[in-house]
Structure formats: structure tokens, C-alpha cells
Amino acid sequence: MNQRSLLLFLALLVVAAVRLYGLAGAALPDYDSVRNWQIVQEVAAGNLTHLFHQGAPLFYLIFAPFVWLGGNFHVLQHVNSLVSVAAVGSLATFVGREARLSAWETAGLALFIGTAVFLTFSGRDFTMNSGNVLVFAGLLRAYYHRLQAPSRQTLLRAAVWLMLGISFNYRFLFTIPILVAFELLTADGLLLRRGNAWRVFAILVAPFVVLGLVSWAAGLPLQRHWPAVYYGLIMRGEPNLAGNVGIFRFDVLYYAYFMRDFESPLVLLTLLAAPVMWRRELFQQLRQPNLVCYLAVWGYCFLAGMSLLIKAPAGFCWLTACSMPWLSSACANWFPVKYWACWWCWLLDSMCTGSSAKYMHMRLPITRK
């Protein structure tokens, strides 16, 4: 094991210790976690009635075997937490390699991401958030390689990651407009060349066809099939548990208030100051964007898109996954001293202000009043 791998492994051990601390004696923290545990038990018993709940069949299919092995919800919680640690490692490895960070900087980046308040909390429940970040990290890496080395192979690899994401959670549908924007910005014609579009389409619809046949064989009513779940999410006529109807609610300041109240102020400061501080890096070579520009497009597009929808803290996972590597990699490349200062400020903020405890023991609003 070389120095880079060893330091990253040690950093991830620290992250794992934070994620797993006290988890064995903790109950499932929210309604979604409890509901997911119930559905996993149903799927393990062969009942597929709620397999497509939240458009996340892959999540339930992955965790069902742990029930067969006799695992209770604590086991599944621990496995899900370790998935979140793997997500941190994947994201740090990708950014560290592409930004050419040193071994110590890559390990610091893993600690920087892994100690984020929201990602820590969401890595201790039993929802799709941990898997979302892991698959999203894979999609980020694969599509960045498609932009840097355009070929059918890199394009189809990115399509596979998108297919896995859509199978894991319906929120990956929100990445499609961003990917389309990248394709239009790149304008290299790769998607439309030599039948690539049909291959991408076939990859994306494959799980719908396979699980559609499974649904038909299981005798599920049409309203329980995968496309019908999407229709129900979009055309929701009855209030959900938070009392919301529909999916649209414009509020451009929701996540700004969320970051102010529950996250380190460094994240909010990054989103506000980065376009000014790094304007040269952000707006050059847009057809083949550098890493900072690439992560910025993802982060700001998510922020803009989520501002149009009904808000929930879970949407912050995506923004955090983009903004923190962006902040730390940019600082590591251009401001090495500030890079380490940022991480220590983040740590001191969490310790001194008690933001982690504040987040974990308060019931977060679904919509800002």
C-alpha cells in the first residue's frame, strides 16, 4: 500500500468512526428510515408491492439479502453508513487525482468532506442518501472523463452510472438537464455520432424493461409499476406527510438559510465568493471544462433547479458533494495555506458552535416559513 492509499485509508477510518459512533444504540431517526426498513423486509419476503417506493428499486433489492442473512435494522444502518464512507473515499479520490493533490491533501479532503454536518447526519440514517452520494461520485467521475477524453467508451460508462443512479433514486432524473447542458456546451457531437444516442437510450431503459417484466410477473397493479410512481410524484394531488401538494415551490433562499443555520458558513461563503475569486478558472475552456468549472456547473445547476421545487434538506446532499471538493481543491491548487485553514475552521465551527448536535436534535422544516 503506497502512501496515498494509506493516508486516505486512515482518513476514512476517522470518517467511519464518526459515522458509526453510538449507532448500535440508536433508533431509526426518521419516518423515511422506518418506512425503508419495512419495505426492505417486504422485498426480502417476496412482496414487491412497494418495490418502487420513491422510485428506488435498486436500494431495496441491494439491502434485501441482508435481511435473509438475519440482519436487523442496526445491521442495515451500519452497512448504509459504510456506504457513505465509501462515497467520501470515491469523491476524494476522484478530486485528488484530477486536481493533482498530494497524498496529505487528498486525505485532508476526505476528512473535509466526511466531517460535513449534513453528510454525517445523512450517513447515519437508513435512506438513499448514502447510496446517492456514492453513485453520484461515480457519475461525476465518469462524465468528467467523457468530457476530457471523448469516446464511445467513456460516454457509455457515464450512461451506466446514470442508469444506476436512476435505479437507485428518482432524484437522479434531475441530473439529466445538467448533462444535456454539458452536451450542448461541449458541442462535439459525440452523443449523436454512430448510433451512440441509441446505445445510451438502451442502457437507460434497460432497468425499466427488466423490472417492468418482474412487476408484471409479480402481478402488481399498474399504479404500483415504476412509471406510475413517477407520475404520482409529479402529479401528486394529495398532501404528503409534510402537507405539501405538487412538486413546485419557488424559494431561492431556502438552501442559503439552511446552510446558515445548520452547516459550516464556509459552504455558503464558497457559493457566494467563488464566481468572483475564481472567475478566470470558471469561464475558460467551457467546451472542455477544468475541474473547478465542472463542479461549479453541477453545484449551481442543482441550486437553481432545487430552488424551483418543494424543498427538503435531502437535496443538500448533492450540493454539498459538489461544493466541498470544489472549495478544497481550488484552495489546494491556488491557496495552500487557506486550504488547511478552511478545514480547521470547519472543524472548530462544528466543535465550538455545536452545529452537529443542533442539526441532529432539531426537527428540520420541510419548507421555510
Side-chain angles (χ1 to χ4, degrees), residues 137-221:
L139 178 60
L140 278 179
R141 180 178 62 251
Y143 195 75
Y144 187 72
H145 291 163
R146 173 261 176 273
L147 294 177
Q148 299 299 314
S151 68
R152 174 178 290 177
Q153 183 180 12
T154 56
L155 176 66
L156 297 184
R157 186 178 295 120
V160 169
W161 278 105
L162 179 58
M163 177 268 291
L164 291 174
I166 293 173
S167 302
F168 206 87
N169 194 289
Y170 77 93
R171 290 189 180 93
F172 273 87
L173 293 174
F174 300 152
T175 67
I176 294 178
I178 303 176
L179 294 171
V180 170
F182 271 119
E183 288 294 325
L184 294 175
L185 191 64
T186 304
D188 58 5
L190 177 63
L191 181 61
L192 303 178
R193 194 181 306 158
R194 300 191 306 274
N196 286 341
W198 287 107
R199 289 177 171 85
V200 170
F201 179 76
I203 290 173
L204 295 182
V205 302
F208 290 90
V209 173
V210 173
L211 292 180
L213 293 174
V214 171
S215 302
W216 175 79
L220 295 184

Coordinates of all heavy atoms in Angstrom, one line a residue, residues 137-221:
A137 N -20.9 10.3 -7.1 CA -19.5 10.4 -7.2 C -19.0 9.6 -8.5 O -18.1 10.1 -9.2 CB -18.8 9.9 -6.0
G138 N -19.6 8.4 -8.7 CA -19.2 7.7 -9.9 C -19.7 8.4 -11.1 O -18.9 8.4 -12.1
L139 N -20.8 9.0 -11.1 CA -21.3 9.7 -12.3 C -20.4 10.9 -12.6 O -20.1 11.2 -13.7 CB -22.8 10.1 -12.1 CG -23.4 11.0 -13.2 CD1 -23.4 10.2 -14.5 CD2 -24.8 11.4 -12.8
L140 N -20.1 11.7 -11.5 CA -19.2 12.8 -11.7 C -17.9 12.4 -12.3 O -17.4 13.1 -13.3 CB -18.9 13.4 -10.3 CG -19.9 14.4 -9.7 CD1 -19.4 14.9 -8.3 CD2 -20.2 15.6 -10.6
R141 N -17.3 11.3 -11.8 CA -16.0 10.9 -12.4 C -16.1 10.4 -13.8 O -15.4 10.8 -14.7 CB -15.5 9.7 -11.5 CG -14.1 9.2 -11.9 CD -13.6 8.1 -11.0 NE -14.5 6.9 -11.0 CZ -15.3 6.6 -10.0 NH1 -15.3 7.4 -8.9 NH2 -16.1 5.6 -10.0
A142 N -17.2 9.6 -14.1 CA -17.3 9.0 -15.4 C -17.6 10.1 -16.5 O -17.1 10.1 -17.6 CB -18.4 8.0 -15.4
Y143 N -18.5 11.1 -16.1 CA -18.8 12.1 -17.1 C -17.7 13.1 -17.3 O -17.5 13.6 -18.4 CB -20.1 12.8 -16.7 CG -20.7 13.6 -17.9 CD1 -21.3 12.9 -18.9 CD2 -20.5 15.0 -18.0 CE1 -21.8 13.6 -20.0 CE2 -21.0 15.7 -19.1 CZ -21.6 15.0 -20.1 OH -22.1 15.7 -21.2
Y144 N -16.9 13.3 -16.2 CA -15.7 14.2 -16.4 C -14.7 13.6 -17.4 O -14.2 14.3 -18.2 CB -15.1 14.4 -15.0 CG -14.0 15.4 -15.1 CD1 -14.2 16.8 -15.2 CD2 -12.6 15.0 -15.0 CE1 -13.2 17.7 -15.3 CE2 -11.6 16.0 -15.0 CZ -11.9 17.3 -15.1 OH -10.9 18.2 -15.2
H145 N -14.6 12.3 -17.3 CA -13.7 11.6 -18.2 C -14.3 11.6 -19.6 O -13.5 11.7 -20.6 CB -13.5 10.1 -17.8 CG -12.7 10.0 -16.5 ND1 -12.7 8.8 -15.8 CD2 -11.9 10.9 -15.9 CE1 -11.9 9.0 -14.7 NE2 -11.4 10.2 -14.8
R146 N -15.6 11.6 -19.8 CA -16.2 11.7 -21.1 C -15.9 13.1 -21.7 O -15.7 13.2 -22.9 CB -17.7 11.5 -21.0 CG -18.5 11.8 -22.3 CD -19.1 13.2 -22.2 NE -19.8 13.5 -23.4 CZ -19.2 14.1 -24.5 NH1 -17.9 14.3 -24.5 NH2 -19.9 14.5 -25.5
L147 N -15.9 14.1 -20.9 CA -15.6 15.4 -21.4 C -14.1 15.6 -21.7 O -13.8 16.3 -22.7 CB -16.0 16.5 -20.3 CG -17.5 16.6 -20.0 CD1 -17.7 17.7 -18.9 CD2 -18.3 17.0 -21.3
Q148 N -13.2 15.0 -20.9 CA -11.8 15.2 -21.1 C -11.3 14.2 -22.2 O -10.3 14.6 -22.9 CB -11.1 14.9 -19.8 CG -11.4 15.8 -18.7 CD -11.1 17.3 -19.0 OE1 -10.0 17.6 -19.5 NE2 -12.1 18.2 -18.7
A149 N -11.9 13.1 -22.4 CA -11.4 12.1 -23.4 C -12.7 11.6 -24.1 O -13.1 10.5 -23.8 CB -10.6 11.0 -22.7
P150 N -13.2 12.4 -25.0 CA -14.5 12.0 -25.7 C -14.3 10.7 -26.5 O -13.5 10.6 -27.4 CB -14.8 13.2 -26.6 CG -14.0 14.3 -26.1 CD -12.8 13.7 -25.5
S151 N -15.1 9.7 -26.2 CA -15.1 8.4 -26.9 C -16.4 7.7 -26.6 O -17.1 8.0 -25.6 CB -13.9 7.6 -26.6 OG -14.0 7.1 -25.2
R152 N -16.7 6.7 -27.4 CA -17.9 5.9 -27.1 C -17.8 5.2 -25.8 O -18.8 5.2 -25.0 CB -18.2 4.9 -28.2 CG -19.3 4.0 -28.0 CD -19.5 3.0 -29.1 NE -20.1 3.7 -30.3 CZ -20.3 3.1 -31.4 NH1 -20.0 1.8 -31.6 NH2 -20.8 3.8 -32.5
Q153 N -16.7 4.8 -25.5 CA -16.5 4.0 -24.2 C -16.8 4.9 -23.0 O -17.5 4.5 -22.1 CB -15.1 3.5 -24.1 CG -14.8 2.6 -22.9 CD -13.4 2.1 -22.9 OE1 -12.5 2.5 -23.7 NE2 -13.1 1.2 -22.0
T154 N -16.2 6.1 -23.0 CA -16.4 7.0 -21.8 C -17.9 7.5 -21.8 O -18.4 7.6 -20.7 CB -15.5 8.2 -21.9 OG1 -15.6 8.9 -23.2 CG2 -14.0 7.8 -21.8
L155 N -18.5 7.7 -22.9 CA -19.9 8.1 -22.9 C -20.8 7.0 -22.4 O -21.7 7.3 -21.5 CB -20.3 8.4 -24.4 CG -21.8 8.8 -24.6 CD1 -22.1 10.1 -23.8 CD2 -22.1 8.9 -26.0
L156 N -20.6 5.8 -22.8 CA -21.4 4.7 -22.3 C -21.2 4.4 -20.9 O -22.1 4.0 -20.1 CB -21.2 3.4 -23.2 CG -21.6 3.6 -24.7 CD1 -21.4 2.3 -25.4 CD2 -23.0 4.1 -24.8
R157 N -19.9 4.6 -20.4 CA -19.6 4.3 -19.0 C -20.4 5.4 -18.1 O -21.0 5.0 -17.1 CB -18.1 4.5 -18.7 CG -17.7 4.1 -17.3 CD -16.2 4.2 -17.1 NE -15.5 3.2 -17.9 CZ -14.6 3.5 -18.8 NH1 -14.3 4.8 -19.1 NH2 -14.0 2.6 -19.5
A158 N -20.5 6.6 -18.6 CA -21.2 7.6 -17.9 C -22.7 7.2 -17.9 O -23.4 7.4 -16.9 CB -21.0 9.0 -18.5
A159 N -23.2 6.7 -19.0 CA -24.6 6.3 -19.1 C -24.9 5.2 -18.2 O -26.0 5.1 -17.6 CB -24.9 5.9 -20.6
V160 N -24.0 4.3 -17.9 CA -24.2 3.2 -17.0 C -24.4 3.7 -15.6 O -25.2 3.3 -14.8 CB -23.1 2.2 -17.0 CG1 -23.1 1.2 -15.9 CG2 -23.1 1.4 -18.4
W161 N -23.5 4.7 -15.2 CA -23.6 5.3 -13.9 C -25.0 6.1 -13.7 O -25.6 6.0 -12.7 CB -22.5 6.3 -13.6 CG -21.2 5.6 -13.2 CD1 -20.1 5.3 -13.9 CD2 -21.0 5.0 -11.9 NE1 -19.2 4.6 -13.1 CE2 -19.7 4.4 -11.9 CE3 -21.8 4.9 -10.7 CZ2 -19.2 3.8 -10.8 CZ3 -21.2 4.3 -9.6 CH2 -19.9 3.7 -9.6
L162 N -25.4 6.7 -14.8 CA -26.7 7.4 -14.7 C -27.8 6.4 -14.6 O -28.8 6.6 -13.8 CB -26.9 8.3 -16.0 CG -28.2 9.0 -16.1 CD1 -28.4 10.0 -14.9 CD2 -28.3 9.8 -17.4
M163 N -27.7 5.3 -15.3 CA -28.7 4.2 -15.2 C -28.8 3.7 -13.7 O -29.9 3.5 -13.2 CB -28.4 3.1 -16.2 CG -29.4 1.9 -16.1 SD -28.7 0.6 -15.0 CE -27.3 0.0 -15.9
L164 N -27.6 3.5 -13.1 CA -27.6 3.0 -11.7 C -28.2 4.1 -10.8 O -29.0 3.7 -9.9 CB -26.2 2.7 -11.3 CG -25.5 1.5 -12.0 CD1 -24.0 1.5 -11.6 CD2 -26.2 0.2 -11.6
G165 N -27.9 5.3 -11.1 CA -28.5 6.4 -10.2 C -30.0 6.4 -10.3 O -30.7 6.5 -9.3
I166 N -30.5 6.4 -11.6 CA -32.0 6.4 -11.7 C -32.6 5.2 -11.1 O -33.8 5.3 -10.5 CB -32.3 6.5 -13.2 CG1 -31.9 7.8 -13.8 CG2 -33.8 6.3 -13.5 CD1 -32.0 8.0 -15.3
S167 N -32.0 4.1 -11.1 CA -32.5 2.9 -10.5 C -32.4 3.0 -8.9 O -33.2 2.3 -8.2 CB -31.7 1.7 -10.9 OG -31.8 1.5 -12.3
F168 N -31.5 3.8 -8.4 CA -31.3 4.0 -7.0 C -32.2 5.0 -6.4 O -32.6 4.9 -5.2 CB -29.9 4.3 -6.7 CG -29.4 3.8 -5.4 CD1 -28.9 2.6 -5.2 CD2 -29.5 4.7 -4.3 CE1 -28.5 2.1 -3.9 CE2 -29.1 4.2 -3.0 CZ -28.6 3.0 -2.8
N169 N -32.5 6.1 -7.1 CA -33.4 7.1 -6.6 C -33.9 8.0 -7.7 O -33.1 8.3 -8.6 CB -32.6 8.0 -5.6 CG -33.5 8.9 -4.7 OD1 -34.0 9.8 -5.2 ND2 -33.7 8.5 -3.5
Y170 N -35.1 8.4 -7.6 CA -35.7 9.2 -8.7 C -35.0 10.6 -8.8 O -35.1 11.2 -9.9 CB -37.2 9.4 -8.4 CG -37.5 10.5 -7.3 CD1 -37.8 11.8 -7.7 CD2 -37.6 10.1 -6.0 CE1 -38.0 12.7 -6.7 CE2 -37.9 11.0 -5.0 CZ -38.1 12.3 -5.4 OH -38.3 13.3 -4.4
R171 N -34.3 11.0 -7.8 CA -33.7 12.4 -7.9 C -32.6 12.4 -8.9 O -32.2 13.5 -9.3 CB -33.1 12.7 -6.5 CG -34.1 13.0 -5.4 CD -33.5 13.6 -4.2 NE -34.5 13.9 -3.2 CZ -34.8 13.1 -2.2 NH1 -34.2 11.9 -2.1 NH2 -35.7 13.4 -1.3
F172 N -32.1 11.3 -9.4 CA -31.1 11.3 -10.5 C -31.7 11.8 -11.8 O -31.0 12.1 -12.7 CB -30.5 9.9 -10.6 CG -29.3 9.7 -9.7 CD1 -29.5 9.2 -8.4 CD2 -28.0 10.0 -10.2 CE1 -28.4 9.1 -7.6 CE2 -26.9 9.9 -9.3 CZ -27.1 9.4 -8.0
L173 N -33.0 11.8 -11.9 CA -33.7 12.4 -13.0 C -33.3 13.9 -13.2 O -33.3 14.4 -14.3 CB -35.2 12.2 -13.0 CG -35.7 10.8 -13.1 CD1 -37.2 10.8 -12.9 CD2 -35.4 10.2 -14.5
F174 N -33.0 14.5 -12.0 CA -32.7 15.9 -12.0 C -31.3 16.2 -12.6 O -31.0 17.3 -12.9 CB -32.7 16.5 -10.6 CG -34.0 16.4 -9.9 CD1 -34.1 16.3 -8.5 CD2 -35.2 16.3 -10.6 CE1 -35.4 16.2 -7.9 CE2 -36.5 16.2 -10.0 CZ -36.5 16.1 -8.6
T175 N -30.5 15.1 -12.7 CA -29.2 15.3 -13.4 C -29.3 15.4 -14.9 O -28.3 15.8 -15.5 CB -28.2 14.2 -12.9 OG1 -28.7 12.9 -13.5 CG2 -28.2 14.0 -11.4
I176 N -30.3 14.9 -15.4 CA -30.4 14.8 -16.9 C -30.4 16.2 -17.6 O -29.6 16.4 -18.5 CB -31.7 14.0 -17.3 CG1 -31.6 12.5 -16.9 CG2 -31.9 14.1 -18.8 CD1 -32.8 11.7 -17.2
P177 N -31.1 17.2 -17.1 CA -31.0 18.5 -17.7 C -29.5 19.1 -17.6 O -29.1 19.8 -18.5 CB -32.0 19.4 -16.9 CG -33.0 18.4 -16.3 CD -32.2 17.2 -16.1
I178 N -28.8 18.8 -16.5 CA -27.5 19.2 -16.4 C -26.6 18.5 -17.4 O -25.7 19.2 -18.0 CB -27.0 19.0 -14.9 CG1 -27.9 19.7 -13.9 CG2 -25.5 19.5 -14.8 CD1 -27.5 19.4 -12.5
L179 N -26.8 17.3 -17.6 CA -26.0 16.5 -18.5 C -26.3 17.0 -19.9 O -25.3 17.1 -20.8 CB -26.2 15.0 -18.4 CG -25.8 14.4 -17.1 CD1 -26.3 12.9 -17.0 CD2 -24.3 14.4 -17.0
V180 N -27.5 17.3 -20.2 CA -27.9 17.9 -21.5 C -27.2 19.2 -21.7 O -26.7 19.5 -22.8 CB -29.4 18.0 -21.7 CG1 -29.8 18.8 -22.9 CG2 -30.1 16.6 -21.7
A181 N -27.2 20.0 -20.7 CA -26.5 21.3 -20.8 C -25.0 21.1 -21.1 O -24.4 21.9 -21.9 CB -26.7 22.1 -19.5
F182 N -24.4 20.2 -20.4 CA -23.0 19.9 -20.7 C -22.8 19.4 -22.2 O -21.8 19.9 -22.9 CB -22.4 18.8 -19.8 CG -21.9 19.3 -18.5 CD1 -22.4 18.9 -17.3 CD2 -20.8 20.1 -18.5 CE1 -21.9 19.4 -16.1 CE2 -20.2 20.6 -17.3 CZ -20.8 20.2 -16.1
E183 N -23.7 18.6 -22.7 CA -23.6 18.1 -24.1 C -23.7 19.3 -25.0 O -23.0 19.4 -26.0 CB -24.6 17.1 -24.3 CG -24.4 15.7 -23.7 CD -23.2 15.0 -24.2 OE1 -22.9 15.1 -25.4 OE2 -22.5 14.4 -23.4
L184 N -24.6 20.2 -24.8 CA -24.8 21.4 -25.6 C -23.6 22.3 -25.5 O -23.2 22.9 -26.5 CB -26.1 22.1 -25.2 CG -27.4 21.4 -25.5 CD1 -28.6 22.2 -24.9 CD2 -27.6 21.1 -27.0
L185 N -23.0 22.4 -24.3 CA -21.9 23.3 -24.1 C -20.6 22.7 -24.8 O -19.9 23.4 -25.4 CB -21.6 23.5 -22.6 CG -20.6 24.5 -22.2 CD1 -21.1 25.9 -22.6 CD2 -20.4 24.5 -20.7
T186 N -20.5 21.4 -24.7 CA -19.3 20.8 -25.4 C -19.4 20.8 -26.9 O -18.4 21.0 -27.6 CB -19.2 19.3 -24.9 OG1 -19.1 19.3 -23.4 CG2 -18.0 18.6 -25.4
A187 N -20.6 20.5 -27.4 CA -20.9 20.6 -28.8 C -19.9 19.8 -29.7 O -19.5 20.2 -30.7 CB -20.9 22.0 -29.3
D188 N -19.5 18.6 -29.2 CA -18.6 17.8 -30.0 C -19.4 16.7 -30.8 O -18.7 16.0 -31.6 CB -17.6 17.1 -29.1 CG -18.2 16.2 -28.0 OD1 -19.5 16.0 -28.0 OD2 -17.5 15.7 -27.2
G189 N -20.7 16.6 -30.7 CA -21.5 15.7 -31.5 C -21.3 14.3 -31.1 O -21.8 13.4 -31.9
L190 N -20.7 14.0 -30.0 CA -20.4 12.6 -29.7 C -21.7 11.8 -29.5 O -21.8 10.6 -29.9 CB -19.5 12.5 -28.5 CG -19.2 11.1 -27.9 CD1 -18.4 10.3 -29.0 CD2 -18.4 11.2 -26.6
L191 N -22.6 12.4 -28.8 CA -23.9 11.7 -28.5 C -24.6 11.3 -29.7 O -25.3 10.2 -29.7 CB -24.8 12.6 -27.6 CG -26.1 12.0 -27.1 CD1 -25.8 10.7 -26.3 CD2 -26.9 13.0 -26.3
L192 N -24.6 12.1 -30.8 CA -25.3 11.8 -32.0 C -24.5 11.0 -33.0 O -25.0 10.8 -34.1 CB -25.9 13.1 -32.6 CG -26.7 13.9 -31.6 CD1 -27.1 15.2 -32.3 CD2 -28.0 13.1 -31.2
R193 N -23.3 10.6 -32.7 CA -22.4 10.0 -33.7 C -22.5 8.5 -33.6 O -22.5 7.9 -32.6 CB -21.0 10.4 -33.3 CG -20.0 10.2 -34.4 CD -18.6 10.6 -34.0 NE -18.6 12.0 -33.5 CZ -17.7 12.5 -32.7 NH1 -16.7 11.7 -32.2 NH2 -17.7 13.8 -32.4
R194 N -22.7 7.9 -34.8 CA -22.6 6.4 -35.0 C -23.5 5.7 -34.0 O -23.1 4.7 -33.4 CB -21.2 6.0 -34.8 CG -20.2 6.6 -35.8 CD -18.8 5.9 -35.8 NE -18.3 5.8 -34.5 CZ -17.5 6.7 -33.9 NH1 -17.3 7.8 -34.6 NH2 -17.0 6.6 -32.7
G195 N -24.7 6.1 -33.8 CA -25.7 5.4 -33.0 C -25.4 5.4 -31.5 O -26.0 4.6 -30.8
N196 N -24.6 6.4 -31.1 CA -24.4 6.4 -29.6 C -25.6 6.8 -28.8 O -25.8 6.3 -27.7 CB -23.3 7.5 -29.3 CG -21.9 7.0 -29.7 OD1 -21.7 5.8 -29.9 ND2 -21.0 8.0 -29.9
A197 N -26.5 7.6 -29.4 CA -27.7 8.0 -28.7 C -28.6 6.8 -28.4 O -29.2 6.6 -27.3 CB -28.5 9.0 -29.5
W198 N -28.7 5.9 -29.4 CA -29.5 4.7 -29.2 C -28.9 3.8 -28.1 O -29.6 3.2 -27.4 CB -29.6 3.9 -30.5 CG -30.5 4.6 -31.5 CD1 -30.2 5.3 -32.6 CD2 -32.0 4.7 -31.4 NE1 -31.3 5.8 -33.3 CE2 -32.4 5.4 -32.5 CE3 -32.9 4.2 -30.5 CZ2 -33.8 5.7 -32.7 CZ3 -34.3 4.5 -30.7 CH2 -34.7 5.2 -31.8
R199 N -27.6 3.7 -28.1 CA -26.9 2.9 -27.1 C -27.2 3.5 -25.7 O -27.4 2.7 -24.7 CB -25.4 2.8 -27.4 CG -25.1 1.9 -28.6 CD -23.6 1.9 -28.9 NE -23.3 0.9 -29.9 CZ -23.3 1.2 -31.2 NH1 -23.7 2.4 -31.6 NH2 -23.0 0.2 -32.1
V200 N -27.1 4.8 -25.6 CA -27.3 5.4 -24.3 C -28.8 5.2 -23.9 O -29.1 4.9 -22.7 CB -27.0 6.9 -24.4 CG1 -27.5 7.6 -23.1 CG2 -25.5 7.1 -24.5
F201 N -29.7 5.4 -24.8 CA -31.1 5.2 -24.5 C -31.4 3.7 -24.1 O -32.1 3.5 -23.1 CB -31.9 5.5 -25.8 CG -33.4 5.3 -25.6 CD1 -34.2 6.2 -24.9 CD2 -34.0 4.2 -26.1 CE1 -35.5 6.0 -24.7 CE2 -35.4 4.0 -25.9 CZ -36.1 4.9 -25.2
A202 N -30.7 2.8 -24.8 CA -30.9 1.4 -24.4 C -30.4 1.1 -23.0 O -31.1 0.3 -22.2 CB -30.2 0.5 -25.4
I203 N -29.3 1.7 -22.6 CA -28.8 1.5 -21.3 C -29.7 2.0 -20.2 O -30.0 1.4 -19.2 CB -27.4 2.1 -21.1 CG1 -26.4 1.4 -22.0 CG2 -27.0 2.2 -19.7 CD1 -25.0 2.0 -22.0
L204 N -30.3 3.2 -20.5 CA -31.1 3.9 -19.5 C -32.5 3.2 -19.4 O -33.1 3.2 -18.2 CB -31.4 5.4 -19.9 CG -30.1 6.3 -19.9 CD1 -30.5 7.7 -20.3 CD2 -29.4 6.2 -18.6
V205 N -33.0 2.6 -20.4 CA -34.3 2.0 -20.3 C -34.3 0.5 -19.9 O -35.3 -0.1 -19.5 CB -35.1 2.1 -21.6 CG1 -35.3 3.5 -22.0 CG2 -34.5 1.3 -22.7
A206 N -33.1 -0.1 -19.9 CA -32.9 -1.5 -19.6 C -33.5 -1.8 -18.2 O -34.3 -2.8 -18.1 CB -31.4 -1.9 -19.6
P207 N -33.2 -1.1 -17.1 CA -33.8 -1.5 -15.8 C -35.3 -1.3 -15.8 O -36.0 -2.1 -15.1 CB -33.2 -0.5 -14.8 CG -32.6 0.6 -15.6 CD -32.3 0.0 -17.0
F208 N -35.9 -0.4 -16.6 CA -37.3 -0.2 -16.7 C -38.0 -1.4 -17.3 O -39.0 -1.9 -16.9 CB -37.7 1.0 -17.4 CG -37.4 2.3 -16.7 CD1 -36.1 2.9 -16.8 CD2 -38.3 2.9 -15.8 CE1 -35.8 4.1 -16.2 CE2 -38.0 4.1 -15.2 CZ -36.8 4.7 -15.3
V209 N -37.3 -2.0 -18.4 CA -37.8 -3.1 -19.1 C -37.8 -4.4 -18.2 O -38.7 -5.1 -18.0 CB -37.1 -3.4 -20.4 CG1 -37.5 -4.7 -21.0 CG2 -37.3 -2.2 -21.3
V210 N -36.6 -4.6 -17.6 CA -36.4 -5.8 -16.7 C -37.3 -5.8 -15.5 O -38.0 -6.7 -15.3 CB -34.9 -5.9 -16.3 CG1 -34.7 -7.0 -15.3 CG2 -34.0 -6.1 -17.5
L211 N -37.3 -4.6 -14.8 CA -38.2 -4.6 -13.6 C -39.7 -4.5 -14.0 O -40.5 -4.8 -13.2 CB -37.7 -3.4 -12.7 CG -36.4 -3.6 -12.1 CD1 -36.0 -2.4 -11.2 CD2 -36.3 -4.9 -11.2
G212 N -39.9 -3.9 -15.2 CA -41.3 -4.0 -15.6 C -41.8 -5.4 -15.8 O -43.0 -5.7 -15.5
L213 N -41.0 -6.2 -16.4 CA -41.4 -7.6 -16.5 C -41.5 -8.3 -15.2 O -42.4 -9.1 -15.0 CB -40.3 -8.3 -17.4 CG -40.2 -7.9 -18.9 CD1 -39.0 -8.6 -19.5 CD2 -41.5 -8.2 -19.6
V214 N -40.6 -8.0 -14.3 CA -40.7 -8.5 -12.9 C -42.0 -8.1 -12.3 O -42.7 -8.9 -11.6 CB -39.5 -8.1 -12.0 CG1 -39.7 -8.5 -10.6 CG2 -38.2 -8.7 -12.6
S215 N -42.4 -6.8 -12.4 CA -43.7 -6.3 -11.9 C -44.9 -7.0 -12.5 O -45.8 -7.4 -11.8 CB -43.8 -4.8 -12.1 OG -42.7 -4.1 -11.6
W216 N -44.8 -7.2 -13.8 CA -45.9 -7.9 -14.4 C -46.0 -9.4 -13.9 O -47.1 -9.9 -13.7 CB -45.7 -7.9 -15.9 CG -46.7 -8.7 -16.7 CD1 -48.0 -8.3 -17.0 CD2 -46.5 -10.0 -17.3 NE1 -48.6 -9.3 -17.7 CE2 -47.7 -10.4 -17.9 CE3 -45.4 -10.9 -17.3 CZ2 -47.9 -11.6 -18.5 CZ3 -45.6 -12.1 -17.9 CH2 -46.8 -12.5 -18.5
A217 N -44.8 -10.0 -13.8 CA -44.8 -11.4 -13.3 C -45.3 -11.5 -11.9 O -45.9 -12.5 -11.5 CB -43.4 -12.0 -13.5
A218 N -45.0 -10.5 -11.1 CA -45.5 -10.5 -9.7 C -46.9 -10.1 -9.5 O -47.5 -10.1 -8.4 CB -44.6 -9.6 -8.9
G219 N -47.5 -9.7 -10.6 CA -49.0 -9.3 -10.6 C -49.2 -8.0 -9.9 O -50.3 -7.8 -9.4
L220 N -48.3 -7.1 -10.0 CA -48.5 -5.8 -9.4 C -49.5 -5.0 -10.2 O -49.5 -5.0 -11.4 CB -47.2 -5.0 -9.3 CG -46.1 -5.5 -8.4 CD1 -44.9 -4.5 -8.4 CD2 -46.6 -5.7 -7.0
P221 N -50.4 -4.3 -9.6 CA -51.4 -3.4 -10.3 C -50.6 -2.3 -11.0 O -49.5 -1.9 -10.6 CB -52.3 -2.9 -9.2 CG -51.5 -3.0 -7.9 CD -50.7 -4.2 -8.1

